[in-house]
């Protein structure tokens, strides 16, 4: 029977897509993980991982083994974590996968009081705006908006329950180009746009008194949504065009007069984000502490 440690090394490398990232996640070394995977492959007599200088990916045999092993290893981890309940305070590592908007607008209100209440829990935050398979990524939980969550997950509200998208421009831009009076006017303006990692470029949506308007604006700048959002805001501050983003993101600039709200009565509302995680009978103690902590916060 293969050593459980070698099996765990294979699962970590396969889930994280490489030895370096798996080593970082498991507090091990890439060379130790590589040796463990080689031992497992030698014992099984089959290659489990295809390795190149740039990437590591599971073979068909490795993928099938990973699918069979993951539920069993998760059950072992949950069983061992039950012991954590006998501690005075939960300890361990909590891995969260969140979009940039949550990292910027939600977690600053959550993490400081949580870390003060649970100093023995280590939080590891991965900022990622793409669709995420939590189990394959090795994360305990994620934060996403309703339409971008994985299916068959437990979800609880986190952060403000209603948010809005806002449209804004610098005073200099509006003085030079004039104010839009209705969403259709944006087709005659310079707009700063974002693109998802999938390549999709979301339209700008507006709503007023039950009437919805969808605009496909044009402009000289397209950035990746998430990582490039600050660049889009900087361009708007410099007078390069109109920016359409979370109201909470733009509100500080509007409060200082650096940006002016545009078409505010047309700003659309949407449901706030959710913390989501796999439905397990036993949650890891750090995640259980986090789940229980969230309802006590006020937004």
């Amino acid at each position: 029977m293969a050593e459980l440690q070698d099996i765990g090394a294979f699962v970590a490398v396969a889930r994280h897509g490489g030895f370096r990232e798996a080593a970082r996640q498991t507090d091990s070394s890439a060379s130790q993980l590589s040796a463990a995977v080689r031992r497992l492959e030698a014992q099984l007599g089959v290659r489990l991982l295809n390795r190149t200088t740039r990437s590591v990916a599971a073979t068909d045999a490795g993928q099938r083994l990973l699918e069979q092993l993951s539920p069993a290893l998760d059950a072992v981890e949950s069983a061992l974590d039950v012991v954590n309940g006998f501690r005075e305070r939960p300890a361990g590592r909590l891995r969260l996968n969140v979009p940039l908007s949550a990292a910027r607008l939600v977690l600053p209100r959550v993490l400081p009081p949580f870390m003060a209440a649970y100093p023995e829990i280590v939080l590891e935050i991965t900022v990622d705006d793409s669709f995420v398979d939590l189990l394959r990524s090795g994360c305990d939980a994620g934060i996403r908006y309703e339409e971008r969550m994985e299916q068959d997950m437990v979800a609880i509200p986190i952060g403000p329950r209603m948010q809005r998208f806002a449209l804004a421009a610098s005073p200099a831009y509006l003085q030079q180009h004039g104010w839009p009076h209705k969403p259709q006017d944006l087709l005659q303006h310079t707009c700063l746009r974002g693109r998802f990692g999938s390549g999709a470029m979301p339209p700008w949506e507006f709503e007023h008194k039950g009437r919805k308007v969808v605009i496909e604006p044009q402009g000289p700048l397209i950035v990746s949504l998430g990582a490039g959002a600050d660049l889009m805001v900087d361009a708007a501050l410099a007078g390069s065009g109109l920016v359409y983003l979370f109201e909470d993101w733009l509100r500080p600039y509007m409060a200082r007069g650096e940006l002016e709200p545009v078409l505010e009565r047309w700003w659309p509302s949407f449901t706030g984000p959710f913390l989501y995680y796999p439905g397990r009978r036993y949650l890891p103690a750090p995640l259980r502490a986090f789940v229980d902590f969230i309802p006590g916060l006020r937004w």
Side-chain angles (χ1 to χ4, degrees):
M1 180 178 178
E3 292 290 342
L4 188 60
Q5 186 174 4
D6 293 350
I7 294 174
F10 159 71
V11 171
V13 174
R15 281 179 170 176
H16 296 291
F19 289 95
R20 289 185 180 179
E21 180 62 18
R24 189 177 69 84
Q25 296 283 354
T26 59
D27 296 325
S28 183
S29 71
S31 60
Q32 289 174 326
L33 294 177
S34 180
V37 173
R38 285 199 302 271
R39 284 195 301 269
L40 183 60
E41 289 178 325
Q43 184 170 0
L44 297 177
V46 63
R47 179 178 288 276
L48 301 174
L49 298 174
N50 287 321
R51 308 161 176 83
T52 70
T53 56
R54 293 187 176 182
S55 65
V56 174
T59 63
D60 289 343
Q63 184 61 41
R64 181 63 63 86
L65 179 61
L66 180 64
E67 292 171 357
Q68 295 294 316
L69 284 173
S70 292
L73 291 178
D74 288 341
V76 170
E77 184 179 351
S78 297
L80 293 174
D81 191 69
V82 170
V83 179
N84 215 346
F86 290 90
R87 299 172 55 92
E88 183 178 350
R89 288 188 300 189
R93 190 178 299 267
L94 174 59
R95 298 180 175 90
L96 301 178
N97 187 292
V98 307
L100 181 61
S101 58
R104 181 163 185 151
L105 305 176
V106 175
L107 291 186
R109 293 274 303 277
V110 178
L111 298 191
F114 180 78
M115 290 187 292
Y118 298 97
E120 297 180 40
I121 293 178
V122 177
L123 284 157
E124 187 167 329
I125 311 297
T126 299
V127 180
D128 185 352
D129 280 274
S130 63
F131 287 99
V132 174
D133 184 329
L134 282 182
L135 296 180
R136 288 180 61 86
S137 71
C139 291
D140 300 296
I143 296 177
R144 287 295 185 277
Y145 287 86
E146 198 166 8
E147 71 277 6
R148 295 181 66 82
M149 284 194 299
E150 294 180 75
Q151 299 298 312
D152 301 322
M153 291 280 172
V154 178
I156 62 173
I158 184 171
R161 292 328 308 138
M162 293 302 297
Q163 294 181 273
R164 292 197 299 176
F165 280 115
L167 181 68
S170 71
Y173 175 88
L174 294 170
Q175 183 177 1
Q176 181 178 357
H177 300 280
W179 286 75
H181 297 291
K182 56 184 183 299
Q184 292 84 348
D185 293 344
L186 297 175
L187 297 176
Q188 309 304 319
H189 280 265
T190 302
C191 300
L192 310 172
R193 302 198 61 185
R195 189 195 305 272
F196 288 122
S198 64
M201 192 178 302
W204 289 7
E205 300 181 357
F206 299 92
E207 184 174 358
H208 178 59
K209 293 183 178 180
R211 181 187 175 196
K212 295 183 179 181
V213 178
V214 179
I215 299 295
E216 294 279 358
Q218 300 299 315
L221 178 66
I222 300 172
V223 304
S224 60
L225 286 172
D230 280 327
L231 177 59
M232 189 164 54
V233 174
D234 289 340
L237 292 170
S240 299
L242 291 126
V243 60
Y244 180 83
L245 201 58
F246 290 90
E247 178 185 3
D248 293 339
W249 198 312
L250 298 180
R251 184 57 66 185
Y253 303 101
M254 292 187 286
R256 294 192 296 265
E258 297 170 328
L259 292 176
E260 292 283 350
V262 176
L263 298 177
E264 187 167 0
R265 65 176 183 169
W266 283 92
W267 292 357
S269 300
F270 56 95
T271 305
F274 292 83
L275 176 78
Y276 72 103
Y277 51 91
R280 298 172 179 169
R281 184 176 179 184
Y282 297 107
L283 292 182
L287 178 57
R288 169 53 63 192
F290 194 69
V291 168
D292 292 341
F293 185 80
I294 289 172
L297 297 172
R298 293 185 177 182
W299 295 90

